[in-house]
Amino acid sequence: MNETAAISGATSETTSPDQPADPLTLDKVARTGNRALAFVRDFPWVGLGVLSTCLGVLILYAYFRSMGHVPADFAILLGAGVGIAGVTFAYLLVVVLALILPHAVFTQMESLKAAPWRPWPGSLKDANNLLIGAQWLSVGLLFSYSAWGLWRDCVPGLAYVLTPAVVLVVAGGAIVAHAGWRRAVWRWTTTGSFVQLLLLSSLPLLVLSDLLMPTGTTSEWDYLLWLLVWLTFIFVLGALPKEVPLWAVALVIPFLLPAALWLAPAMRGHGDLFPQRVMEMAGIRTTKAIELKVPQATCELIAATALFGPTGQAVTPCGAGTPWVTVRAQVLSNLGTRWWIEVQQVGDLAVDPAEVLRMSIPADGAQLVQRRPATTPERRSQCKATS
């Protein structure tokens, strides 16, 4: 009896609510992080699956939080979370591989590594000037091709593409010429490997354009931010010591990606850009406004909510006796029994641009319509003839 009382007294003493909790120290945080890293190392696929699932849930939350709308069907949300996790994992894997591909080509090709490249003088002597110059030159050539396409098809804005093309071609060519100033460098094997490096060096810029450029709202500042992030990225990889293994680079880049994916677009007011891109890849959101065919009752529901014109005068955009009505809207979420859309036009009437109309409509009966132009763009010869 006394022993039982003593044991219960000791138990109550150790679990007393008045006893202060152990303070959270950096040592405990470090031990917890080491256990997590050890788990990922011992079970890589399980660890990556857990991380991607957490990221998928975070992306779903960030996306619906930015819209101020959460679907009511939680079972569908849970299923979508698993799918989003898979899409996110595959997307980030492709992004990481594309971003490190130029660095991987340079570090894995013996003909490029063994060539006596001339380093930069001064504090930049340890930077990989050939890799940086090759990427500048490659992107400059890509911009030059784009500028030629704009000139050929009579599209305005040629100067905005041609100016950075000339700068990058001249600067990148000068860096490559400085690094390979010795005639002995340019053997057949080295030249062939350098051409392959040039062909792959535009991938980081193309991947970052997919991550950082908002659809339909691109401005000059968005282009400038895109180029600045790309320049910073290639300088970071170019400044890495050549002895750093490729697997270490592949592990470091995923930790740098969140800054590029969330913080950089947030500087231009597009903090939800990455969640939107993942939703578009998963088929939950459309990239732009599309044509919808909706039943008469759904059209009347939209028309009763929308304002048409600056004065909001009473109109009947749905017609009379028409079973199907055309509505132009962007689908923001097609999960569950109700879609969440952003309406731009109902029938022949445009919604008042002073407001952003977002609303839910029944998914039953709504049909997506795609129309693609069959005509070819106007060529330069035709453009001269009509001018």
Side-chain angles (χ1 to χ4, degrees):
M1 180 74 174
N2 293 334
E3 292 179 359
T4 305
I7 293 174
S8 61
T11 305
S12 62
E13 184 177 356
T14 56
T15 60
S16 175
D18 298 333
Q19 185 176 356
D22 294 336
L24 183 64
T25 61
L26 291 177
D27 183 60
K28 290 184 178 180
V29 174
R31 287 202 300 268
T32 303
N34 288 333
R35 293 192 194 100
L37 291 176
F39 178 79
V40 174
R41 180 194 61 195
D42 296 336
F43 305 96
W45 293 111
V46 176
L48 289 175
V50 171
L51 291 177
S52 61
T53 301
C54 294
L55 184 59
V57 173
L58 178 62
I59 289 173
L60 272 175
Y61 172 78
Y63 177 69
F64 288 115
R65 178 72 175 176
S66 66
M67 293 194 306
H69 164 77
V70 179
D73 196 336
F74 289 100
I76 292 181
L77 275 181
L78 291 176
V82 177
I84 289 296
V87 172
T88 304
F89 177 73
Y91 183 51
L92 290 181
L93 182 62
V94 172
V95 167
V96 170
L97 292 177
L99 289 177
I100 68 173
L101 194 56
H103 186 276
V105 169
F106 183 85
T107 56
Q108 298 302 314
M109 287 189 173
E110 294 295 333
S111 58
L112 291 178
K113 289 195 301 181
W117 304 109
R118 183 185 183 183
W120 270 327
S123 59
L124 296 176
K125 63 179 181 179
D126 294 328
N128 194 333
N129 56 347
L130 178 71
L131 183 59
I132 295 175
Q135 294 187 72
W136 284 25
L137 180 58
S138 175
V139 172
L141 294 175
L142 177 65
F143 280 4
S144 300
Y145 178 77
S146 300
W148 176 77
L150 294 178
W151 176 85
R152 179 197 60 190
D153 298 333
C154 309
V155 179
L158 177 62
Y160 292 101
V161 180
L162 187 59
T163 301
V166 173
V167 172
L168 290 173
V169 167
V170 172
I175 295 173
V176 171
H178 176 271
W181 67 289
R182 296 182 183 180
R183 182 178 299 179
V185 171
W186 299 106
R187 298 168 296 179
W188 283 108
T189 54
T190 307
T191 303
S193 300
F194 179 75
V195 171
Q196 295 181 42
L197 179 63
L198 275 183
L199 293 176
L200 299 174
S201 289
S202 298
L203 285 178
L205 183 81
L206 297 176
V207 167
L208 290 175
S209 68
D210 186 71
L211 296 175
L212 301 177
M213 302 293 278
T215 302
T217 57
T218 306
S219 66
E220 291 81 0
W221 293 106
D222 292 314
Y223 284 109
L224 180 60
L225 178 64
W226 168 45
L227 293 177
L228 287 178
V229 172
W230 170 69
L231 289 173
T232 303
F233 177 81
I234 66 171
F235 266 107
V236 169
L237 282 189
L240 288 178
K242 298 180 177 62
E243 294 78 14
V244 176
L246 186 61
W247 63 266
V249 178
L251 287 178
V252 168
I253 287 183
F255 291 99
L256 298 178
L257 274 180
L261 300 183
W262 269 295
L263 296 183
M267 295 172 59
R268 291 288 303 140
H270 305 301
D272 54 352
L273 183 60
F274 177 63
Q276 290 178 5
R277 186 70 185 98
V278 174
M279 293 298 160
E280 291 170 2
M281 295 189 63
I284 297 175
R285 170 192 171 99
T286 58
T287 57
K288 57 184 179 180
I290 60 174
E291 182 180 335
L292 296 176
K293 290 290 187 180
V294 297
Q296 179 77 20
T298 303
C299 177
E300 293 176 355
L301 172 66
I302 299 174
T305 310
L307 294 177
F308 302 96
T311 59
Q313 66 270 22
V315 291
T316 56
C318 299
T322 305
W324 294 95
V325 184
T326 300
V327 174
R328 187 163 185 82
Q330 182 177 11
V331 178
L332 304 179
S333 172
N334 57 10
L335 296 177
T337 58
R338 300 190 70 85
W339 288 3
W340 187 251
I341 63 174
E342 182 175 314
V343 185
Q344 296 186 2
Q345 184 175 335
V346 182
D348 297 330
L349 296 176
V351 176
D352 186 359
E355 67 171 5
V356 177
L357 176 60
R358 292 180 175 179
M359 61 181 300
S360 63
I361 63 171
D364 294 339
Q367 302 293 326
L368 281 69
V369 180
Q370 289 186 351
R371 300 181 188 273
R372 296 182 179 180
T375 57
T376 57
E378 197 176 22
R379 298 299 181 184
R380 192 71 191 174
S381 58
Q382 299 172 343
C383 193
K384 289 180 178 180
T386 56
S387 60

